[in-house]
Amino acid sequence: MADDARDLNAPTGEGEVEVILRGGAVDRPADVTPYEPLIEAKTGLGELLAPVAGFGVTFASLFRPTVTEQYPYEKVPTKPRFHGRHQLNRYADGLEKCIGCELCAWACPADAIYVEGADNTEDARYSPGERYAAVYQINYLRCIFCGLCIEACPTRSLTMTNEYELADDSRQDLIFTKTQLLSDLLPGMEQPPHPMRLGEKDTDYYVGAGGTGGSDR
Ligand code: SF4
């Protein structure tokens, strides 16, 4: 017999567990506790019905009301706090609330938001502050709708709508631009750029804007 071949009939030593294979059978050590099932075995009628007991759930479901939704023919409204497509909000005069600070982009764990800020000028004002978002994009191929961007936004410019129909067959079309994300102009709003209409000074503007509402209310 070669040196590296094991003699299965040879004893393995004193005190050592001896397991010898003979045609697939295993000699188990005497001190191994036999397997005991934790669930008590059924007897009588229980034993008779056990093979079909699983069908009880199916049978009971036959008499429950159907919950099948007829989407897309009938759309069920979401819960009010459902995280859907984002929206960039406006002040009551139409100026944008976004100040291009990029905090939403930094907060995003999926790196789905891209912002490029730019300076407002007296000739071209898009937001009441110094800066506005010249470029704003959300990549819905990456977005996980966690809402961390909403928490990070200091001006409540960014909020989430209940809109959930975002499927598309084009990767490019799922990168939403600022134009797509900006809220519609409500009555009394004016398309930027334009001067601040809600007050001469910043404090007047913001106090007035807070009192008259915006597009996120
Ligand atoms: S949406 Fe809010 S957090 Fe994002 S850049 Fe605009 S102001 Fe900043």
Side-chain angles (χ1 to χ4, degrees), residues 158-177:
L158 194 62
T159 52
M160 292 173 108
T161 66
N162 293 156
E163 187 182 332
Y164 55 86
E165 293 184 303
L166 293 167
D168 207 303
D169 56 6
S170 160
R171 297 175 70 83
Q172 184 64 44
D173 289 349
L174 281 168
I175 299 174
F176 279 42
T177 61

Side-chain angles (χ1 to χ4, degrees), residues 8 42 53 59 63-64 78 88 125 155 158 164 176 215:
L8 294 178
K42 295 193 184 308
F59 187 72
F63 302 99
R64 295 199 184 114
T78 63
L88 287 170
R125 172 170 293 285
T155 61
L158 194 62
Y164 55 86
F176 279 42
S215 57

Side-chain angles (χ1 to χ4, degrees), residues 108-113 138-145 174:
C108 179
D111 201 15
I113 303 180
I138 296 183
N139 185 339
Y140 282 105
L141 294 164
R142 291 185 168 197
C143 179
I144 56 174
F145 298 89
L174 281 168

Side-chain angles (χ1 to χ4, degrees), residues 6-125:
R6 185 179 167 204
D7 180 2
L8 294 178
N9 291 316
T12 53
E14 190 179 346
E16 188 179 346
V17 175
E18 191 175 329
V19 177
I20 301 175
L21 301 175
R22 289 197 185 95
V26 177
D27 287 343
R28 298 189 182 284
D31 57 347
V32 172
T33 311
Y35 172 71
E36 292 283 349
L38 296 175
I39 301 174
E40 209 173 306
K42 295 193 184 308
T43 56
L45 187 61
E47 186 181 15
L48 187 70
L49 296 177
V52 293
F55 290 108
V57 176
T58 307
F59 187 72
S61 299
L62 292 176
F63 302 99
R64 295 199 184 114
T66 176
V67 293
T68 305
E69 293 178 4
Q70 303 302 320
Y71 181 85
Y73 308 107
E74 295 171 23
K75 292 176 187 162
V76 179
T78 63
K79 297 290 183 193
R81 295 174 68 108
F82 175 83
H83 285 189
R85 186 181 70 81
H86 297 74
Q87 175 173 286
L88 287 170
N89 299 302
R90 299 173 186 272
Y91 288 105
D93 60 356
L95 288 181
E96 299 161 10
K97 288 190 174 182
C98 182
I99 53 174
C101 66
E102 301 181 31
L103 283 177
C104 49
W106 282 97
C108 179
D111 201 15
I113 303 180
Y114 178 73
V115 185
E116 271 182 29
D119 288 338
N120 285 307
T121 63
E122 287 312 315
D123 296 331
R125 172 170 293 285

